[in-house]
Amino acid sequence: MLLALDIGNSNISMGIFHGDSLLLRGKISAQTGRSADEYAVTLNDLLRLEGVARDGLTGCVLSSVVPALTGLLESAVRRLTDAPLLRVGPGLRTGFRIRIDDPSQLGGDLVADTLAALTFYGAPLVLLDAGTVTTVAAVDRERTYLGGCILPGIRASAELLKETTALLPSIAFGQGEEECLGRNSADAMRRGLLLGSAMMADGFIARYRALPGMAGAVAVATGGSAELVTAACREDVLLNPDLTLQGLRLLYENNRPRRRER
């Protein structure tokens, strides 16, 4: 079985694969103040909770956008298993071209998203990864990652509004907020953020589809806030909450490392 870990700014997503089947998924908070031992205990507890034995792990793949956590999680994994560990980074076989100024700057999560989306949906693509930050990217019909845009995530935007204004309240998000007129401050904030995010997604999808090699691009969304962001979209957007984990599995299969010796 393969352990896949995606280290984000707010959460660490975990998946266990048997072949190409995702048997279980879990999530723990990303905290740089924790030790490798604490992460090892937490991961071990999650595995035990799901009835997965450590000696059943045959490999591990890890991507990270938080350098302070990368080494901690690698050490935690090595406490759990001697199975080969693959860290997503420059030099891996991705199966697609990356046409940005410095390809090494493309985050491991976006590399995984792109490979999985190309595998499952083909090219061209518009990718939307909505988490702590929202990334929108374009992949043309030649399977070339062209670049994209990065902006604050919907929940981070809500926190920023609350922290930088004296009178605006904290808000909670719900689904299906399509009415564009809020009748009070909380409703106005919630609807503004939800509909603004949906219109942002629609706008990027339309603009990216107008680029050379992007006609008819399939739009695919993933990430913790993807369902919120796309709920009121007028463009067709496919939701795949497991896209990053599936991409990590594919990266591992394409770059399978050797077993580590004790």
Side-chain angles (χ1 to χ4, degrees), residues 219-253:
V220 183
T222 194
S225 298
E227 190 171 1
L228 282 174
V229 170
T230 61
C233 282
R234 293 184 175 177
E235 298 284 352
D236 290 332
V237 183
L238 301 176
L239 285 173
N240 188 332
D242 300 323
L243 195 69
T244 308
L245 292 175
Q246 289 284 4
L248 291 177
R249 173 186 64 82
L250 292 167
L251 284 168
Y252 185 88
E253 292 176 357

PDB file of all heavy atoms in Angstrom, residues 219-253:
ATOM      1  N   ALA A 219     -12.646  22.268 -17.362  1.00  0.00           N
ATOM      2  CA  ALA A 219     -12.332  22.925 -16.095  1.00  0.00           C
ATOM      3  C   ALA A 219     -12.493  21.919 -14.961  1.00  0.00           C
ATOM      4  O   ALA A 219     -13.543  21.275 -14.846  1.00  0.00           O
ATOM      5  CB  ALA A 219     -13.234  24.129 -15.865  1.00  0.00           C
ATOM      6  N   VAL A 220     -11.456  21.799 -14.133  1.00  0.00           N
ATOM      7  CA  VAL A 220     -11.441  20.837 -13.033  1.00  0.00           C
ATOM      8  C   VAL A 220     -11.046  21.575 -11.755  1.00  0.00           C
ATOM      9  O   VAL A 220     -10.093  22.363 -11.756  1.00  0.00           O
ATOM     10  CB  VAL A 220     -10.437  19.693 -13.286  1.00  0.00           C
ATOM     11  CG1 VAL A 220     -10.505  18.664 -12.160  1.00  0.00           C
ATOM     12  CG2 VAL A 220     -10.699  19.027 -14.626  1.00  0.00           C
ATOM     13  N   ALA A 221     -11.779  21.329 -10.677  1.00  0.00           N
ATOM     14  CA  ALA A 221     -11.506  22.006  -9.409  1.00  0.00           C
ATOM     15  C   ALA A 221     -11.235  20.995  -8.315  1.00  0.00           C
ATOM     16  O   ALA A 221     -11.852  19.928  -8.253  1.00  0.00           O
ATOM     17  CB  ALA A 221     -12.683  22.899  -9.010  1.00  0.00           C
ATOM     18  N   THR A 222     -10.309  21.343  -7.438  1.00  0.00           N
ATOM     19  CA  THR A 222      -9.999  20.528  -6.268  1.00  0.00           C
ATOM     20  C   THR A 222      -9.623  21.462  -5.126  1.00  0.00           C
ATOM     21  O   THR A 222      -9.567  22.679  -5.289  1.00  0.00           O
ATOM     22  CB  THR A 222      -8.865  19.537  -6.581  1.00  0.00           C
ATOM     23  OG1 THR A 222      -8.803  18.541  -5.552  1.00  0.00           O
ATOM     24  CG2 THR A 222      -7.515  20.230  -6.701  1.00  0.00           C
ATOM     25  N   GLY A 223      -9.372  20.906  -3.945  1.00  0.00           N
ATOM     26  CA  GLY A 223      -9.012  21.719  -2.793  1.00  0.00           C
ATOM     27  C   GLY A 223     -10.147  21.846  -1.805  1.00  0.00           C
ATOM     28  O   GLY A 223     -11.326  21.641  -2.146  1.00  0.00           O
ATOM     29  N   GLY A 224      -9.795  22.218  -0.566  1.00  0.00           N
ATOM     30  CA  GLY A 224     -10.772  22.246   0.513  1.00  0.00           C
ATOM     31  C   GLY A 224     -11.931  23.196   0.309  1.00  0.00           C
ATOM     32  O   GLY A 224     -13.013  22.987   0.862  1.00  0.00           O
ATOM     33  N   SER A 225     -11.751  24.261  -0.469  1.00  0.00           N
ATOM     34  CA  SER A 225     -12.819  25.233  -0.701  1.00  0.00           C
ATOM     35  C   SER A 225     -13.390  25.154  -2.105  1.00  0.00           C
ATOM     36  O   SER A 225     -14.164  26.028  -2.515  1.00  0.00           O
ATOM     37  CB  SER A 225     -12.296  26.653  -0.444  1.00  0.00           C
ATOM     38  OG  SER A 225     -11.887  26.821   0.893  1.00  0.00           O
ATOM     39  N   ALA A 226     -13.033  24.117  -2.862  1.00  0.00           N
ATOM     40  CA  ALA A 226     -13.445  24.046  -4.270  1.00  0.00           C
ATOM     41  C   ALA A 226     -14.958  24.019  -4.418  1.00  0.00           C
ATOM     42  O   ALA A 226     -15.514  24.677  -5.307  1.00  0.00           O
ATOM     43  CB  ALA A 226     -12.820  22.828  -4.934  1.00  0.00           C
ATOM     44  N   GLU A 227     -15.640  23.266  -3.579  1.00  0.00           N
ATOM     45  CA  GLU A 227     -17.093  23.178  -3.711  1.00  0.00           C
ATOM     46  C   GLU A 227     -17.753  24.518  -3.434  1.00  0.00           C
ATOM     47  O   GLU A 227     -18.698  24.921  -4.119  1.00  0.00           O
ATOM     48  CB  GLU A 227     -17.645  22.104  -2.774  1.00  0.00           C
ATOM     49  CG  GLU A 227     -19.106  21.784  -3.014  1.00  0.00           C
ATOM     50  CD  GLU A 227     -19.580  20.571  -2.230  1.00  0.00           C
ATOM     51  OE1 GLU A 227     -18.768  19.998  -1.487  1.00  0.00           O
ATOM     52  OE2 GLU A 227     -20.761  20.215  -2.373  1.00  0.00           O
ATOM     53  N   LEU A 228     -17.234  25.246  -2.424  1.00  0.00           N
ATOM     54  CA  LEU A 228     -17.763  26.578  -2.129  1.00  0.00           C
ATOM     55  C   LEU A 228     -17.532  27.534  -3.291  1.00  0.00           C
ATOM     56  O   LEU A 228     -18.428  28.261  -3.707  1.00  0.00           O
ATOM     57  CB  LEU A 228     -17.087  27.145  -0.876  1.00  0.00           C
ATOM     58  CG  LEU A 228     -17.546  26.653   0.483  1.00  0.00           C
ATOM     59  CD1 LEU A 228     -16.646  27.218   1.572  1.00  0.00           C
ATOM     60  CD2 LEU A 228     -18.997  27.035   0.734  1.00  0.00           C
ATOM     61  N   VAL A 229     -16.309  27.522  -3.813  1.00  0.00           N
ATOM     62  CA  VAL A 229     -15.939  28.473  -4.862  1.00  0.00           C
ATOM     63  C   VAL A 229     -16.747  28.244  -6.125  1.00  0.00           C
ATOM     64  O   VAL A 229     -17.161  29.195  -6.802  1.00  0.00           O
ATOM     65  CB  VAL A 229     -14.430  28.374  -5.161  1.00  0.00           C
ATOM     66  CG1 VAL A 229     -14.065  29.170  -6.409  1.00  0.00           C
ATOM     67  CG2 VAL A 229     -13.613  28.875  -3.973  1.00  0.00           C
ATOM     68  N   THR A 230     -17.012  26.993  -6.471  1.00  0.00           N
ATOM     69  CA  THR A 230     -17.636  26.685  -7.760  1.00  0.00           C
ATOM     70  C   THR A 230     -19.147  26.494  -7.682  1.00  0.00           C
ATOM     71  O   THR A 230     -19.785  26.289  -8.723  1.00  0.00           O
ATOM     72  CB  THR A 230     -17.016  25.412  -8.356  1.00  0.00           C
ATOM     73  OG1 THR A 230     -17.231  24.300  -7.465  1.00  0.00           O
ATOM     74  CG2 THR A 230     -15.516  25.600  -8.571  1.00  0.00           C
ATOM     75  N   ALA A 231     -19.730  26.573  -6.482  1.00  0.00           N
ATOM     76  CA  ALA A 231     -21.160  26.278  -6.330  1.00  0.00           C
ATOM     77  C   ALA A 231     -22.041  27.176  -7.202  1.00  0.00           C
ATOM     78  O   ALA A 231     -23.079  26.726  -7.701  1.00  0.00           O
ATOM     79  CB  ALA A 231     -21.568  26.405  -4.863  1.00  0.00           C
ATOM     80  N   ALA A 232     -21.643  28.422  -7.384  1.00  0.00           N
ATOM     81  CA  ALA A 232     -22.458  29.357  -8.164  1.00  0.00           C
ATOM     82  C   ALA A 232     -21.837  29.675  -9.518  1.00  0.00           C
ATOM     83  O   ALA A 232     -22.233  30.647 -10.167  1.00  0.00           O
ATOM     84  CB  ALA A 232     -22.685  30.641  -7.369  1.00  0.00           C
ATOM     85  N   CYS A 233     -20.860  28.871  -9.957  1.00  0.00           N
ATOM     86  CA  CYS A 233     -20.245  29.109 -11.262  1.00  0.00           C
ATOM     87  C   CYS A 233     -21.259  28.882 -12.385  1.00  0.00           C
ATOM     88  O   CYS A 233     -22.093  27.982 -12.306  1.00  0.00           O
ATOM     89  CB  CYS A 233     -19.051  28.181 -11.465  1.00  0.00           C
ATOM     90  SG  CYS A 233     -17.555  28.689 -10.611  1.00  0.00           S
ATOM     91  N   ARG A 234     -21.157  29.671 -13.419  1.00  0.00           N
ATOM     92  CA  ARG A 234     -21.989  29.462 -14.599  1.00  0.00           C
ATOM     93  C   ARG A 234     -21.285  28.600 -15.638  1.00  0.00           C
ATOM     94  O   ARG A 234     -21.928  28.021 -16.503  1.00  0.00           O
ATOM     95  CB  ARG A 234     -22.390  30.814 -15.189  1.00  0.00           C
ATOM     96  CG  ARG A 234     -23.335  31.579 -14.254  1.00  0.00           C
ATOM     97  CD  ARG A 234     -23.819  32.866 -14.844  1.00  0.00           C
ATOM     98  NE  ARG A 234     -24.807  33.492 -13.967  1.00  0.00           N
ATOM     99  CZ  ARG A 234     -25.383  34.675 -14.196  1.00  0.00           C
ATOM    100  NH1 ARG A 234     -25.039  35.367 -15.284  1.00  0.00           N
ATOM    101  NH2 ARG A 234     -26.268  35.166 -13.360  1.00  0.00           N
ATOM    102  N   GLU A 235     -19.961  28.535 -15.549  1.00  0.00           N
ATOM    103  CA  GLU A 235     -19.210  27.607 -16.398  1.00  0.00           C
ATOM    104  C   GLU A 235     -19.293  26.203 -15.789  1.00  0.00           C
ATOM    105  O   GLU A 235     -19.434  26.050 -14.574  1.00  0.00           O
ATOM    106  CB  GLU A 235     -17.739  28.031 -16.482  1.00  0.00           C
ATOM    107  CG  GLU A 235     -17.504  29.395 -17.092  1.00  0.00           C
ATOM    108  CD  GLU A 235     -17.641  29.415 -18.601  1.00  0.00           C
ATOM    109  OE1 GLU A 235     -17.771  28.321 -19.197  1.00  0.00           O
ATOM    110  OE2 GLU A 235     -17.614  30.515 -19.184  1.00  0.00           O
ATOM    111  N   ASP A 236     -19.208  25.186 -16.627  1.00  0.00           N
ATOM    112  CA  ASP A 236     -19.188  23.810 -16.132  1.00  0.00           C
ATOM    113  C   ASP A 236     -17.822  23.518 -15.512  1.00  0.00           C
ATOM    114  O   ASP A 236     -16.785  23.701 -16.160  1.00  0.00           O
ATOM    115  CB  ASP A 236     -19.449  22.819 -17.270  1.00  0.00           C
ATOM    116  CG  ASP A 236     -20.877  22.882 -17.781  1.00  0.00           C
ATOM    117  OD1 ASP A 236     -21.766  23.236 -16.985  1.00  0.00           O
ATOM    118  OD2 ASP A 236     -21.105  22.599 -18.977  1.00  0.00           O
ATOM    119  N   VAL A 237     -17.820  23.083 -14.273  1.00  0.00           N
ATOM    120  CA  VAL A 237     -16.580  22.769 -13.571  1.00  0.00           C
ATOM    121  C   VAL A 237     -16.735  21.388 -12.930  1.00  0.00           C
ATOM    122  O   VAL A 237     -17.701  21.140 -12.198  1.00  0.00           O
ATOM    123  CB  VAL A 237     -16.260  23.807 -12.470  1.00  0.00           C
ATOM    124  CG1 VAL A 237     -14.924  23.475 -11.809  1.00  0.00           C
ATOM    125  CG2 VAL A 237     -16.233  25.214 -13.039  1.00  0.00           C
ATOM    126  N   LEU A 238     -15.789  20.498 -13.209  1.00  0.00           N
ATOM    127  CA  LEU A 238     -15.784  19.172 -12.602  1.00  0.00           C
ATOM    128  C   LEU A 238     -15.084  19.238 -11.256  1.00  0.00           C
ATOM    129  O   LEU A 238     -13.978  19.785 -11.149  1.00  0.00           O
ATOM    130  CB  LEU A 238     -15.071  18.174 -13.512  1.00  0.00           C
ATOM    131  CG  LEU A 238     -15.640  17.995 -14.920  1.00  0.00           C
ATOM    132  CD1 LEU A 238     -14.755  17.057 -15.725  1.00  0.00           C
ATOM    133  CD2 LEU A 238     -17.061  17.471 -14.863  1.00  0.00           C
ATOM    134  N   LEU A 239     -15.709  18.690 -10.226  1.00  0.00           N
ATOM    135  CA  LEU A 239     -15.108  18.654  -8.892  1.00  0.00           C
ATOM    136  C   LEU A 239     -14.442  17.302  -8.669  1.00  0.00           C
ATOM    137  O   LEU A 239     -15.053  16.255  -8.899  1.00  0.00           O
ATOM    138  CB  LEU A 239     -16.168  18.881  -7.813  1.00  0.00           C
ATOM    139  CG  LEU A 239     -16.679  20.307  -7.620  1.00  0.00           C
ATOM    140  CD1 LEU A 239     -17.846  20.315  -6.640  1.00  0.00           C
ATOM    141  CD2 LEU A 239     -15.581  21.226  -7.129  1.00  0.00           C
ATOM    142  N   ASN A 240     -13.197  17.341  -8.204  1.00  0.00           N
ATOM    143  CA  ASN A 240     -12.490  16.105  -7.864  1.00  0.00           C
ATOM    144  C   ASN A 240     -11.687  16.364  -6.595  1.00  0.00           C
ATOM    145  O   ASN A 240     -10.555  16.841  -6.658  1.00  0.00           O
ATOM    146  CB  ASN A 240     -11.575  15.655  -9.001  1.00  0.00           C
ATOM    147  CG  ASN A 240     -10.976  14.283  -8.747  1.00  0.00           C
ATOM    148  OD1 ASN A 240     -10.791  13.868  -7.602  1.00  0.00           O
ATOM    149  ND2 ASN A 240     -10.661  13.560  -9.805  1.00  0.00           N
ATOM    150  N   PRO A 241     -12.250  16.070  -5.421  1.00  0.00           N
ATOM    151  CA  PRO A 241     -11.557  16.369  -4.167  1.00  0.00           C
ATOM    152  C   PRO A 241     -10.289  15.561  -3.946  1.00  0.00           C
ATOM    153  O   PRO A 241      -9.440  15.935  -3.135  1.00  0.00           O
ATOM    154  CB  PRO A 241     -12.613  16.050  -3.096  1.00  0.00           C
ATOM    155  CG  PRO A 241     -13.552  15.091  -3.758  1.00  0.00           C
ATOM    156  CD  PRO A 241     -13.590  15.492  -5.198  1.00  0.00           C
ATOM    157  N   ASP A 242     -10.133  14.450  -4.680  1.00  0.00           N
ATOM    158  CA  ASP A 242      -8.968  13.579  -4.496  1.00  0.00           C
ATOM    159  C   ASP A 242      -7.915  13.774  -5.582  1.00  0.00           C
ATOM    160  O   ASP A 242      -7.002  12.953  -5.717  1.00  0.00           O
ATOM    161  CB  ASP A 242      -9.407  12.109  -4.464  1.00  0.00           C
ATOM    162  CG  ASP A 242     -10.372  11.820  -3.330  1.00  0.00           C
ATOM    163  OD1 ASP A 242     -10.196  12.398  -2.243  1.00  0.00           O
ATOM    164  OD2 ASP A 242     -11.312  11.027  -3.548  1.00  0.00           O
ATOM    165  N   LEU A 243      -8.020  14.850  -6.349  1.00  0.00           N
ATOM    166  CA  LEU A 243      -7.136  15.035  -7.501  1.00  0.00           C
ATOM    167  C   LEU A 243      -5.665  15.054  -7.097  1.00  0.00           C
ATOM    168  O   LEU A 243      -4.828  14.402  -7.731  1.00  0.00           O
ATOM    169  CB  LEU A 243      -7.496  16.329  -8.227  1.00  0.00           C
ATOM    170  CG  LEU A 243      -6.919  16.500  -9.635  1.00  0.00           C
ATOM    171  CD1 LEU A 243      -7.567  15.518 -10.600  1.00  0.00           C
ATOM    172  CD2 LEU A 243      -7.128  17.933 -10.126  1.00  0.00           C
ATOM    173  N   THR A 244      -5.326  15.783  -6.026  1.00  0.00           N
ATOM    174  CA  THR A 244      -3.920  15.902  -5.628  1.00  0.00           C
ATOM    175  C   THR A 244      -3.374  14.559  -5.158  1.00  0.00           C
ATOM    176  O   THR A 244      -2.258  14.161  -5.532  1.00  0.00           O
ATOM    177  CB  THR A 244      -3.755  16.957  -4.529  1.00  0.00           C
ATOM    178  OG1 THR A 244      -4.372  18.186  -4.941  1.00  0.00           O
ATOM    179  CG2 THR A 244      -2.278  17.221  -4.249  1.00  0.00           C
ATOM    180  N   LEU A 245      -4.129  13.855  -4.331  1.00  0.00           N
ATOM    181  CA  LEU A 245      -3.669  12.551  -3.850  1.00  0.00           C
ATOM    182  C   LEU A 245      -3.501  11.573  -5.011  1.00  0.00           C
ATOM    183  O   LEU A 245      -2.519  10.819  -5.067  1.00  0.00           O
ATOM    184  CB  LEU A 245      -4.656  11.991  -2.828  1.00  0.00           C
ATOM    185  CG  LEU A 245      -4.739  12.735  -1.487  1.00  0.00           C
ATOM    186  CD1 LEU A 245      -5.846  12.136  -0.611  1.00  0.00           C
ATOM    187  CD2 LEU A 245      -3.405  12.689  -0.746  1.00  0.00           C
ATOM    188  N   GLN A 246      -4.435  11.589  -5.957  1.00  0.00           N
ATOM    189  CA  GLN A 246      -4.307  10.696  -7.113  1.00  0.00           C
ATOM    190  C   GLN A 246      -3.080  11.068  -7.937  1.00  0.00           C
ATOM    191  O   GLN A 246      -2.370  10.180  -8.451  1.00  0.00           O
ATOM    192  CB  GLN A 246      -5.562  10.772  -7.983  1.00  0.00           C
ATOM    193  CG  GLN A 246      -6.795  10.133  -7.368  1.00  0.00           C
ATOM    194  CD  GLN A 246      -6.763   8.613  -7.439  1.00  0.00           C
ATOM    195  OE1 GLN A 246      -5.788   8.018  -7.887  1.00  0.00           O
ATOM    196  NE2 GLN A 246      -7.831   7.979  -6.975  1.00  0.00           N
ATOM    197  N   GLY A 247      -2.809  12.367  -8.064  1.00  0.00           N
ATOM    198  CA  GLY A 247      -1.623  12.785  -8.789  1.00  0.00           C
ATOM    199  C   GLY A 247      -0.345  12.352  -8.109  1.00  0.00           C
ATOM    200  O   GLY A 247       0.634  11.973  -8.766  1.00  0.00           O
ATOM    201  N   LEU A 248      -0.333  12.382  -6.783  1.00  0.00           N
ATOM    202  CA  LEU A 248       0.845  11.908  -6.049  1.00  0.00           C
ATOM    203  C   LEU A 248       1.074  10.424  -6.298  1.00  0.00           C
ATOM    204  O   LEU A 248       2.209   9.975  -6.464  1.00  0.00           O
ATOM    205  CB  LEU A 248       0.673  12.180  -4.553  1.00  0.00           C
ATOM    206  CG  LEU A 248       0.722  13.653  -4.127  1.00  0.00           C
ATOM    207  CD1 LEU A 248       0.456  13.786  -2.632  1.00  0.00           C
ATOM    208  CD2 LEU A 248       2.068  14.282  -4.474  1.00  0.00           C
ATOM    209  N   ARG A 249      -0.012   9.666  -6.343  1.00  0.00           N
ATOM    210  CA  ARG A 249       0.120   8.226  -6.657  1.00  0.00           C
ATOM    211  C   ARG A 249       0.737   8.033  -8.038  1.00  0.00           C
ATOM    212  O   ARG A 249       1.653   7.200  -8.213  1.00  0.00           O
ATOM    213  CB  ARG A 249      -1.254   7.555  -6.595  1.00  0.00           C
ATOM    214  CG  ARG A 249      -1.244   6.106  -7.069  1.00  0.00           C
ATOM    215  CD  ARG A 249      -2.640   5.522  -7.119  1.00  0.00           C
ATOM    216  NE  ARG A 249      -3.504   6.178  -8.079  1.00  0.00           N
ATOM    217  CZ  ARG A 249      -3.516   5.907  -9.384  1.00  0.00           C
ATOM    218  NH1 ARG A 249      -2.694   5.005  -9.887  1.00  0.00           N
ATOM    219  NH2 ARG A 249      -4.363   6.531 -10.189  1.00  0.00           N
ATOM    220  N   LEU A 250       0.269   8.793  -9.001  1.00  0.00           N
ATOM    221  CA  LEU A 250       0.791   8.658 -10.364  1.00  0.00           C
ATOM    222  C   LEU A 250       2.258   9.075 -10.440  1.00  0.00           C
ATOM    223  O   LEU A 250       3.057   8.444 -11.145  1.00  0.00           O
ATOM    224  CB  LEU A 250      -0.052   9.507 -11.319  1.00  0.00           C
ATOM    225  CG  LEU A 250      -1.491   9.013 -11.531  1.00  0.00           C
ATOM    226  CD1 LEU A 250      -2.326  10.084 -12.216  1.00  0.00           C
ATOM    227  CD2 LEU A 250      -1.509   7.727 -12.333  1.00  0.00           C
ATOM    228  N   LEU A 251       2.632  10.117  -9.714  1.00  0.00           N
ATOM    229  CA  LEU A 251       4.033  10.537  -9.687  1.00  0.00           C
ATOM    230  C   LEU A 251       4.913   9.450  -9.091  1.00  0.00           C
ATOM    231  O   LEU A 251       6.026   9.204  -9.564  1.00  0.00           O
ATOM    232  CB  LEU A 251       4.177  11.835  -8.896  1.00  0.00           C
ATOM    233  CG  LEU A 251       3.727  13.111  -9.608  1.00  0.00           C
ATOM    234  CD1 LEU A 251       3.652  14.271  -8.615  1.00  0.00           C
ATOM    235  CD2 LEU A 251       4.682  13.459 -10.750  1.00  0.00           C
ATOM    236  N   TYR A 252       4.419   8.810  -8.042  1.00  0.00           N
ATOM    237  CA  TYR A 252       5.187   7.720  -7.432  1.00  0.00           C
ATOM    238  C   TYR A 252       5.381   6.583  -8.430  1.00  0.00           C
ATOM    239  O   TYR A 252       6.485   6.033  -8.559  1.00  0.00           O
ATOM    240  CB  TYR A 252       4.487   7.215  -6.176  1.00  0.00           C
ATOM    241  CG  TYR A 252       5.280   6.164  -5.424  1.00  0.00           C
ATOM    242  CD1 TYR A 252       6.212   6.543  -4.465  1.00  0.00           C
ATOM    243  CD2 TYR A 252       5.100   4.808  -5.693  1.00  0.00           C
ATOM    244  CE1 TYR A 252       6.956   5.589  -3.786  1.00  0.00           C
ATOM    245  CE2 TYR A 252       5.842   3.847  -5.016  1.00  0.00           C
ATOM    246  CZ  TYR A 252       6.767   4.243  -4.066  1.00  0.00           C
ATOM    247  OH  TYR A 252       7.513   3.293  -3.404  1.00  0.00           O
ATOM    248  N   GLU A 253       4.326   6.235  -9.144  1.00  0.00           N
ATOM    249  CA  GLU A 253       4.422   5.142 -10.114  1.00  0.00           C
ATOM    250  C   GLU A 253       5.389   5.484 -11.243  1.00  0.00           C
ATOM    251  O   GLU A 253       6.088   4.612 -11.754  1.00  0.00           O
ATOM    252  CB  GLU A 253       3.036   4.832 -10.674  1.00  0.00           C
ATOM    253  CG  GLU A 253       2.098   4.215  -9.641  1.00  0.00           C
ATOM    254  CD  GLU A 253       0.702   3.989 -10.175  1.00  0.00           C
ATOM    255  OE1 GLU A 253       0.446   4.368 -11.344  1.00  0.00           O
ATOM    256  OE2 GLU A 253      -0.135   3.443  -9.440  1.00  0.00           O
TER     257      GLU A 253
END
